[in-house]
DNA sequence: ATGAAAGCGCTAACAC
DNA sequence: GTGTTAGCGCTTTCAT
């Protein structure tokens, strides 16, 4: 460290110390081309000695790559409640799992995710501009809203992008998703196996494909078991909405003995209400959640739930995105993950 | 949009369309210097027409600013369980609130947070390198580990940085924090007011200053109320650790009638155990949490808790950091927030 | 195998 | 008030 307070060392500095040209240093750093063994060592020594680290802006300027991707959470833009959207979505354990999977995958690849929230038209334009002028190499999109225009915009801008979950309306864009129907079937099968005969379900917002698929899958499986009618109550993927839904279900169908909630948060809410009404879970009512996120373990009894491997799915998104960045002409692909049943105490 | 598939428009392109020089376009875009009204309009029109957006890399190369800051979560680097750390921390609602506050503040300022996890020495070096060679203008650090060397390293590298919470050992670095002692006192006062006489507390990890302060504040307040002895059980800020701690407390002090848990997650765990042992909350045992995060609302009864305005604190961190970026010679500052009591059903 | 030199897109002196 | 010009630090032909 010969230069205490000064500007960071540049390629030029390293080259001078090593007694070679900038180009050579650049080559050994990037591992391109053949460079003489001996020279490589000399250069590496000079790098260590100077504490050199490449300037990403300069590199990016010439390579047109940033080593950065956007991790964007997109949602409905209720005017004037922007921050509310952000806090709602970041409070959901689901998003934490996505972030965890993405970071876990990217960390070893020298790529960094920048967090963006796209909850208004303005914010969406910002995201688009950010991507279009190359501030990031691509985007990972978690959309919470069916009418989200961002997927289509990204596709038409030909920005490398991967979605979590299939978009509500067809868009030529890559995504990872879960076999929601299979997951719902897992729940239905267990409920029937347990002997439940009055089964109901708390769905997610029905404009979201995942909610629809879970509902459809559940109904189909129940029908196949000889239960053509399944009462439903629509929730909003929050614990509070799960409570409201369960109240309604109980009011309309007091004899319900099995409930499938489309996520763990709503299952948690349902559990609260069930217990409040003196129903024992799982003895009086069997309850199954979806996701297998943190709250499932915090409940008493712990939630039997359909596990969605969110971290793996997020990692796969990142993998796909990087592939797309390397080869922009790749056509859209999708990877579907299989859910699994995690049996705990609630069913 | 005259150039369909080609490279994004540059300043040069805009200048040509507007019939002025690059410099002039740059001036109107950055709002510097006086530029003739009429010309401004012409330029803006040209910008719209071309769909121009400044290239951040190029700009950053000359300004030495990136418009990016690092949001780093730093923690103990248990060898080989890197991803476990990431998923643990991102699963904590606390971190979501930090992210939400940070994003909320930065979004209007054109600054973007990049997410980094520093859980190993290697990862910490990466963060440092990232910052030192100017890939980000500064760092927001949430440290979960008392022995974390990162704050000191950041300080000595003279990287603009702000911590969430005062570092365990003195470091000349800015931070925001909560008056933990005052928060704990709020809890103690309520418990005493409710008539509890056998009060215990579940602490956070005792090497973390925040945990220590909450404990000290609680003990002091209880002592002042005439209760010199307060049984404690140390937890790890997770629901599961709260369960273990509560079990132990109950085993050693079956008559306990008031519990203060150092965060909501542990309070939730404690609640599970209490109810499992047939204790009614709040009738038999009054229970108070800390944070006022999501899980507090999902519990039954809902948690009475000491609110920590995490989003505001995070926003303040971001504000302080940007100030520091603008004036790097600023000396370290700290801002302490006041907690407040949120009374719900558990006490 | 290595060096010289051009240039990525932008800002900031400096002239006019 | 506006244009000219010199780089910022890097990669990458193109020579050698």
């Amino acid at each position: 460290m010969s230069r205490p307070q000064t500007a960071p060392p540049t390629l030029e500095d390293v080259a001078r110390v090593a007694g070679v040209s900038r180009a050579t240093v650049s080559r050994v750093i990037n591992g391109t081309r053949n460079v003489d063994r001996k020279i490589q060592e000399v250069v590496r020594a000079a790098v260590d000695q100077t504490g050199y680290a490449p300037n990403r802006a300069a590199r990016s300027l010439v390579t047109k790559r940033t080593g950065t991707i956007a991790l964007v959470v997109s949602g409905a833009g209720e005017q004037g409640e922007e921050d509310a959207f952000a806090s709602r979505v970041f409070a959901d354990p689901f998003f934490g799992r996505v972030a965890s999977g993405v970071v876990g995958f990217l960390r070893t690849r020298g790529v960094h995710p920048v967090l963006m929230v796209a909850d208004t038209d303005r914010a969406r334009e910002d995201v688009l501009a950010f991507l279009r002028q190359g501030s990031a190499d691509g985007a990972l999109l978690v959309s919470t809203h069916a009418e989200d225009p961002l997927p289509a915009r990204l596709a038409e801008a030909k920005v490398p992008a991967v979605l979590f979950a299939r978009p509500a309306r067809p868009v030529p864009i890559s995504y990872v998703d879960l076999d929601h129907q299979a997951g719902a079937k897992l729940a239905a099968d267990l409920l029937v196996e347990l002997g439940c005969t009055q089964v109901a379900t708390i769905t997610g917002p029905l404009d979201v494909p995942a909610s629809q698929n879970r509902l459809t899958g559940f109904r189909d499986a129940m029908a196949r078991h000889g239960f053509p009618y399944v009462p439903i109550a629509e929730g909003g993927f929050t614990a509070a909405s799960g409570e409201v839904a369960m109240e309604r279900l109980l009011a309309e169908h007091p004899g319900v003995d099995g409930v499938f909630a489309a996520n763990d948060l709503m299952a948690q809410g349902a559990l609260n209400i069930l217990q409040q009404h003196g129903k024992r879970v799982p003895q009086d009512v069997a309850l199954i959640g979806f996701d297998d996120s943190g709250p499932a373990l915090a409940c008493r009894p712990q939630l039997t739930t359909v596990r969605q491997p969110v971290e793996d799915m997020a990692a796969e998104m990142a993998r796909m995105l990087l592939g797309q960045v390397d080869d922009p002409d790749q056509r859209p692909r999708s990877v579907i993950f299989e859910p699994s049943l995690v049996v705990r105490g609630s069913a």
Side-chain angles (χ1 to χ4, degrees), chain A:
Chain A
M1 305 281 181
S2 47
R3 357 164 81 237
Q5 281 287 20
T6 348
T10 73
L11 256 198
E12 189 71 52
D13 297 327
V14 179
R16 195 173 326 112
V17 171
V20 297
S21 75
R22 286 210 308 272
T24 300
V25 179
S26 174
R27 282 173 192 129
V28 351
I29 285 176
N30 294 297
T32 52
R33 280 292 189 70
N34 313 328
V35 176
D36 188 277
R37 281 283 188 213
K38 303 212 158 191
I39 301 222
Q40 288 202 30
E41 284 170 28
V42 177
V43 170
R44 281 191 216 295
V47 167
D48 288 348
Q49 187 190 325
T50 52
Y52 171 80
N55 179 314
R56 311 183 91 216
R59 177 178 282 180
S60 162
L61 190 53
V62 30
T63 60
K64 269 85 175 68
R65 287 286 180 72
T66 61
T68 289
I69 61 151
L71 175 53
V72 3
V73 193
S74 178
E78 329 276 324
Q79 216 51 282
E81 57 122 348
E82 290 81 9
D83 290 3
F85 174 78
S87 50
R88 186 160 16 101
V89 61
F90 287 133
D92 193 321
F94 174 82
F95 188 76
R97 293 178 68 190
V98 172
S100 164
V102 168
V103 169
F105 181 85
L106 294 179
R107 59 184 312 168
T108 55
R109 275 120 185 130
V111 175
H112 302 276
V114 357
L115 216 48
M116 307 190 83
V117 174
D119 51 356
T120 62
D121 286 339
R122 175 65 202 287
R124 273 183 283 272
E125 289 309 320
D126 288 349
V127 169
L128 236 28
F130 190 79
L131 258 7
R132 245 191 322 228
Q133 41 92 222
S135 292
D137 299 333
L140 257 23
L141 214 204
V142 182
S143 188
T144 64
H145 189 54
E147 299 306 319
D148 188 1
L150 208 39
R153 302 289 309 274
L154 289 170
E156 76 193 25
K158 299 217 184 299
V159 170
V162 181
L163 310 189
F164 194 106
R166 179 167 55 80
R169 41 192 77 207
V171 170
I173 199 168
S174 292
Y175 61 86
V176 302
D177 208 340
L178 186 81
D179 186 342
H180 300 285
Q181 305 218 18
K185 178 173 188 314
L186 253 22
D189 291 353
L190 177 59
L191 255 15
V192 169
E193 185 188 326
L194 291 171
C196 299
T197 56
Q198 298 195 49
V199 168
T201 181
I202 299 176
T203 74
L206 289 176
D207 58 340
V208 176
S211 303
Q212 278 291 356
N213 293 152
R214 290 174 199 175
L215 173 57
T216 304
F218 190 70
R219 273 182 167 153
D220 284 359
M222 288 305 295
R224 223 166 296 142
H225 283 296
F227 299 93
Y229 172 64
V230 175
I232 78 169
E234 181 177 357
F237 280 149
T238 65
S241 73
E243 298 190 345
V244 173
M246 192 66 239
E247 282 286 12
R248 197 163 55 236
L249 245 22
L250 237 27
E252 294 167 9
H253 308 271
V256 65
D257 61 1
V259 175
F260 167 53
N263 81 346
D264 289 338
L265 248 23
M266 294 193 300
Q268 186 175 25
L271 179 61
N272 287 336
I273 298 304
L274 252 9
Q275 291 176 334
Q276 190 169 298
H277 281 253
K279 304 277 190 182
R280 292 169 307 161
V281 174
Q283 298 89 334
D284 301 331
V285 180
L287 175 64
I288 302 184
F290 205 106
D291 275 354
D292 192 23
S293 54
L297 289 164
C299 289
R300 281 306 144 113
Q302 293 187 327
L303 252 36
T304 288
T305 190
V306 177
R307 176 171 177 79
Q308 179 171 205
V310 178
E311 292 85 353
D312 295 344
M313 294 168 75
E316 177 62 22
M317 284 174 81
R319 215 179 60 68
M320 288 168 73
L321 182 60
L322 260 31
Q324 222 172 106
V325 169
D326 280 341
D327 177 8
D329 297 322
Q330 234 169 57
R331 67 170 216 287
R333 300 187 310 120
S334 61
V335 175
I336 309 301
F337 284 73
E338 285 306 313
S340 57
L341 192 66
V342 180
V343 179
R344 298 208 181 87
S346 71

